[in-house]
Amino acid sequence: MKQIKIFDTTLRDGEQSPGCSMNLREKIEVAKCLEKMKVDIIEAGFAISSPGDFESVNTIAKTVKDCTVASLARSTVKDIDAAWEAVKVAADPRIHLFIATSPLHMEYKLKMTPEQVLKKTEEMVKYAAKYCSNIEFSAEDATRSDWDFLSQVVNTAIKCGATTVNIPDTVGYTTPAEMQALIEYLIERTENPDNVDFSVHCHNDLGMAVANALAGVKGGATQIECTVNGLGERAGNTSLEEVVMAMRTRPDVFTGTTRLDTTQIYRTSKTVYNIIGQKAPLNKPIVGKNAFAHESGIHQHGVLANKLTYEILTPESVGIHANNIVLGKHSGKHAFETRLSEMGYTLDADELLRSFEEFKVLCDKKKTVSDADIEAIVLHKSAVETAGDSGDYALDWFAVHTSNFTTATSTVCLKKGDEKIEGVSLGDGPIDASFKAIDTIINPVEHTFDNYTIHSTSEGKDTLGDVSVKLSANGRSYSGRGLSTDIIEASIKAYLAALHKLQSAAEREAEAK
Ligand code: KIV
Ligand code: ZN
């Protein structure tokens, strides 16, 4: 079995896609999940792209101890300097530099000849290698490049110090057979291929990212680049959970193994979905609600007789545990903590206390509290709740008046430190009125209100309402979530959380100018 490295780029390729932006606190939360799940490399961001990105790469580099931490850089001195400055504090830093090698990209994007690209590769890999011994080089749009030219670029990068060579299918164009052949071709033409990791980075435009990545492994690749839930540019990237579980389930075919703790997959997936304000599609492999559900009678009969009839992997192997013991208002902190740890969550003392207090409040409102409710409590710490402590706006109280024959009115009182401010507004329904009342207090920067969704976390009429709000401004999107048995309160919290991100980004931009 050869060891396959898992390079996670959720925080870079994933985060740069529309609707998936995260703030620093959220990025650190994801990085901690990735470390616990034991990915080999975390690509923490693209340090040069903004002061915020630099700060998050740098903070993750300081925080993470058990994974390599990488920053992306174009093949320029400024980018490489910024990447190194951000990651050099890491226990194991990596600079990941790239340049495009396809005729289309070289002519129209870079406006460079193939000879110039070759020369730039040589200069910039040498430059990066002066800083760091762990250098990854990517040939952007590799799968639409001339194979002979690509091989020259790859060999140049290796001679100049690249220790990993990444072959991206940037536009999701290739097929499994082609990817396998390309990796084989490149390895055959490399002098000492055993000293280098060949890597695959596949986009999912034609729905083949996972298959292409696995084909790359069959061709000899020893690193897979992927993202949690398959986030990434356009149709996304190789889904970490799918590619890892495919290798785990079919070792006979892929003859590769990873060091990943697969029992952390579900929790990490949930954390990421929660942060970006989305839910897994019901039929999403590995992490979708129906991935392990057996509804049809024939299937149920088979599974009862022998699980293997319809189950090729177990829910437990990815960290999903069915638990019938119900927690309620008489459950103590210890029982709560034990249940959390069975579900894969280890919280620090403050987080545990806060979650336990919320759990107790919920127990007064709901007869039985399910695992889904507990998970929601733990995961849905909205930015504004934590922000409330640090001097940003948090909800104090609200009152609405609504009916189907009058215009809704809402009064909202927000607190900011010791100050309490009230806003009042009419609106097209109680939620619109509440959002408008908040606007009169915060006076937010110009933005578009993109989306509002509400889900129930569990069965029953007394379920928690889980609200997600998405706003956007200047091409970036800001999501917020709120959780409450009262859907207006959940909506207010979600809106405040999204506004908090929007306002913080605007303040950071103003400071940077
Ligand atoms: O898709 C791509 O080509 C990339 C590279 C920068 C690695 O994300
Ligand atoms: Zn990519």
Side-chain angles (χ1 to χ4, degrees), residues 9 52 56 60 108 116 215 260 291 300 313 321 333 336 393 428 498:
T9 182
S56 49
I60 290 168
Y108 294 101
Q116 287 170 321
L260 208 97
Q300 283 177 352
L313 58 149
H321 299 278
K333 193 153 143 227
F336 181 70
Y393 291 104
D428 190 4

Side-chain angles (χ1 to χ4, degrees), residues 12-13 16 43 72 96 98 138-141 166 168-171 201 203 225 237:
R12 200 276 300 166
D13 209 308
Q16 77 192 34
E43 184 161 56
L72 187 66
H96 174 196
F98 73 98
S138 284
E140 192 188 10
D141 206 16
N166 183 37
D169 183 28
T170 303
V171 289
H201 174 111
H203 280 272
E225 303 205 352
N237 211 299

Side-chain angles (χ1 to χ4, degrees), residues 181-193:
L182 176 57
I183 300 293
E184 282 167 358
Y185 175 92
L186 293 171
I187 291 178
E188 262 166 35
R189 279 157 188 77
T190 301
E191 245 173 59
N192 287 314

Side-chain angles (χ1 to χ4, degrees), residues 207-321:
M208 290 190 279
V210 171
N212 288 336
L214 291 166
V217 169
K218 286 205 73 129
T222 46
Q223 176 177 289
I224 296 176
E225 303 205 352
C226 50
T227 58
V228 176
N229 302 331
L231 302 185
E233 287 279 14
R234 305 178 308 280
N237 211 299
T238 303
S239 144
L240 178 147
E241 52 285 354
E242 293 174 27
V243 85
V244 167
M245 290 316 288
M247 276 195 291
R248 182 71 51 109
T249 309
R250 297 302 308 271
D252 52 326
V253 177
F254 300 114
T255 60
T257 179
T258 71
R259 69 164 196 156
L260 208 97
D261 176 358
T262 61
T263 64
Q264 290 297 317
I265 283 180
Y266 184 64
R267 185 249 154 118
T268 307
S269 161
K270 274 259 181 189
T271 302
V272 171
Y273 272 130
N274 173 58
I275 287 173
I276 61 168
Q278 284 177 29
K279 279 202 171 249
L282 289 181
N283 61 343
K284 167 94 172 70
I286 317 295
V287 294
K289 193 163 181 246
N290 290 354
F292 297 99
H294 301 282
E295 287 284 336
S296 104
I298 296 173
H299 287 205
Q300 283 177 352
H301 176 74
V303 169
L304 285 176
N306 182 339
K307 276 192 170 190
L308 295 178
T309 48
Y310 286 101
E311 214 171 72
I312 56 164
L313 58 149
T314 64
E316 291 78 17
S317 66
V318 295
I320 302 173
H321 299 278

